[in-house]
Every structure is written in structure tokens, then in C-alpha cells.
């Protein structure tokens, strides 16, 4: 497989909400939208030429966005 490349951005901000320490966290993975291949799945039976064909395993979504709010108790 080709090299796996991923450019991700993460930002966290420490603040207070209702006098409680709070972290606001955002993350965006695969900013460039690269269509990476994790591995290949091979068929269990060969084709007519006797070759086991393969199918690339790719991510379901090209990007992931996460927004989190963490509040201490």
C-alpha cells in the first residue's frame, strides 16, 4: 500500500462555565481529504486466470469533525 498521510488540526480552550473548569475541544482529521488505503482484502477464490483479485479497504468518511465539551464536577 501507499504511505498513509493525514493532516489533522486540534484546538483546545480552557475556560470556566458555572464556576467549573471547562475544556472546549475541537478536532478535524484529514483536512486535505486524502483517500488513504488501509489494506487490501483478497477474494477467497481465484478468477479465471488463477489470480486472487483484491479490493482496497478505505475509510467510510473522508474527514472527521469532533467538538467536545469537558466540565469538571
Amino acid at each position: 500500500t501507499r504511505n498513509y498521510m493525514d493532516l489533522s488540526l486540534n484546538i483546545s480552550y480552557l475556560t470556566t462555565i458555572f464556576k467549573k473548569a471547562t475544556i472546549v475541544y475541537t478536532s478535524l482529521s484529514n483536512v486535505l481529504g486524502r483517500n488513504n488505503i488501509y489494506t487490501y482484502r483478497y477474494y477467497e477464490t481465484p478468477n479465471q486466470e488463477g489470480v486472487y483479485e483484491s479490493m482496497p479497504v478505505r475509510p467510510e468518511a473522508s474527514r472527521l469533525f469532533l467538538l467536545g465539551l469537558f466540565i469538571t464536577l
Side-chain angles (χ1 to χ4, degrees), residues 15-22 71-73:
T15 186
T16 58
I17 296 178
F18 302 118
K19 298 181 182 178
K20 302 285 184 179
T22 305
I71 303 172
T72 61
L73 300 177

Side-chain angles (χ1 to χ4, degrees), residues 16-68:
T16 58
I17 296 178
F18 302 118
K19 298 181 182 178
K20 302 285 184 179
T22 305
I23 299 171
V24 179
Y25 178 78
T26 60
S27 176
L28 177 63
S29 67
N30 199 14
V31 174
L32 301 177
R34 197 173 153 89
N35 195 7
N36 288 307
I37 297 174
Y38 295 137
T39 188
Y40 289 92
R41 252 189 219 132
Y42 292 90
Y43 289 95
E44 293 181 5
T45 56
N47 62 11
Q48 294 172 350
E49 291 86 32
V51 176
Y52 289 88
E53 295 183 21
S54 64
M55 182 174 55
V57 177
R58 298 182 184 271
E60 293 290 326
S62 61
R63 291 181 184 90
L64 172 69
F65 178 73
L66 174 73
L67 176 63

